Amino acid sequence: MDGLCREGAVLTPIFEEVALTGSTNADLLIRAAQGAPEGLWLRADAQDGGRGRLGRIWESPKGNLFASVIVRLRDTDPSPAGLAFVTAVAAYDAVRHMAPQVDIFLKWPNDIMAHDGSKLCGILLERASDAVIVGIGLNLVWHPQNLERKVSDLRTLGATPPDAQTALEILAEAFTRYLDVWRMSGLGSIVRHWEANAHPLGTALSAKLPDGAQDDGLYAGLDDDGALHLRLADGSIRAIHAADVFLI
């Protein structure tokens, strides 16, 4: 299959690199429509049109990791929404591997956060037909300034991160492993791993909902489908399926 080989049910990643592009996600959406296979990773040294969730700009100068991969959905796959958590736990494991001295945790649904509450990684999933493009931007040696949210990078936090290609290889190994778990066992075990590496139960969170409403409460775990549970002031539990979530 276009140079990909199988180890059991798992496809071995194949890597392509470009010096500069607008967006690796945009590029792979085109490649996927042209028939590019699952397991194809595209990494750019820099992007001049990088984007995050909700249309946010993702600054992408040389030195950090900017990469995307194609996942081809199968009839037997669990809900594609679970890929957000597959990506989150893979990115978490990869960062722990490349910077074990940096204390990190997960915030719903797929933010990699440093102990001081700064964000280290951006994840964007986009679907076209049977292809999901998973894009990941990881701050290795640089982070933008003067944003509304606190951000940082591994070097600032005291690590000596690997170069971007090595970081991608570490990430791709973790992603391939968790993608196989998701396909073989469903989302439940992925969610439990996510919970084990998230902020503690009882952490105060604010959820800005798609309709503009806001719910503040205490983190009370996740549903098996990944929905965030917030314990509200009256003691009730609200399941959040879509929101922008902040630590408070």
Side-chain angles (χ1 to χ4, degrees):
M1 183 185 289
D2 290 313
L4 290 169
C5 61
R6 288 189 176 273
E7 297 176 354
V10 181
L11 289 173
T12 300
I14 185 168
F15 301 108
E16 293 186 9
E17 305 169 31
V18 293
L20 174 67
T21 191
S23 160
T24 56
N25 260 38
D27 291 349
L28 283 193
L29 282 168
I30 294 170
R31 296 282 297 277
Q34 295 170 342
E38 175 171 299
L40 173 62
W41 287 86
L42 177 65
R43 183 183 68 80
D45 288 337
Q47 299 180 128
D48 56 15
R51 61 191 191 277
R53 290 182 61 246
L54 306 177
R56 295 189 182 102
I57 294 173
W58 187 268
E59 295 188 52
S60 311
K62 189 171 182 178
N64 288 342
L65 173 62
F66 317 108
S68 302
V69 65
I70 297 173
V71 176
R72 290 284 184 187
L73 298 175
R74 307 171 185 175
D75 291 341
T76 55
D77 281 346
S79 169
L83 289 171
F85 296 93
V86 171
T87 310
V89 296
Y92 175 89
D93 280 15
V95 173
R96 287 296 307 272
H97 180 87
M98 65 182 75
Q101 69 273 52
V102 176
D103 186 13
I104 61 172
F105 63 90
L106 288 162
K107 180 176 72 66
W108 193 87
N110 52 22
D111 283 340
I112 312 298
M113 311 291 292
H115 62 88
D116 63 354
S118 58
K119 183 174 176 176
L120 295 171
C121 182
I123 292 170
L124 177 65
L125 280 71
E126 298 180 288
R127 181 174 177 178
S129 187
D130 73 336
V132 176
I133 309 304
V134 179
I136 302 169
L138 175 60
N139 294 340
L140 298 173
V141 298
W142 180 91
H143 66 272
Q145 306 290 329
N146 302 317
L147 297 182
E148 292 180 1
R149 296 185 177 192
K150 189 175 183 180
V151 296
S152 191
D153 62 78
L154 295 182
R155 185 166 65 186
T156 294
L157 294 170
T160 304
D163 63 80
Q165 181 60 31
T166 301
L168 175 57
E169 292 167 7
I170 294 168
L171 172 62
E173 187 280 329
F175 182 82
T176 301
R177 177 162 35 92
Y178 283 115
L179 182 65
D180 194 47
V181 170
W182 174 73
R183 282 185 163 141
M184 297 294 292
S185 304
L187 186 60
S189 61
I190 301 289
V191 167
R192 300 290 85 81
H193 184 59
W194 190 102
E195 290 179 315
N197 294 291
H199 41 65
L201 291 171
T203 297
L205 300 175
S206 181
K208 184 176 180 181
L209 306 177
D211 63 2
Q214 181 172 310
D215 277 336
D216 295 344
L218 302 180
Y219 168 63
L222 304 185
D223 274 345
D224 282 346
D225 66 359
L228 172 68
H229 282 183
L230 275 185
R231 186 178 301 278
L232 305 182
D234 63 3
S236 64
I237 299 290
R238 173 148 191 191
I240 305 292
H241 295 273
D244 219 8
V245 174
F246 303 84
L247 298 166
I248 56 176

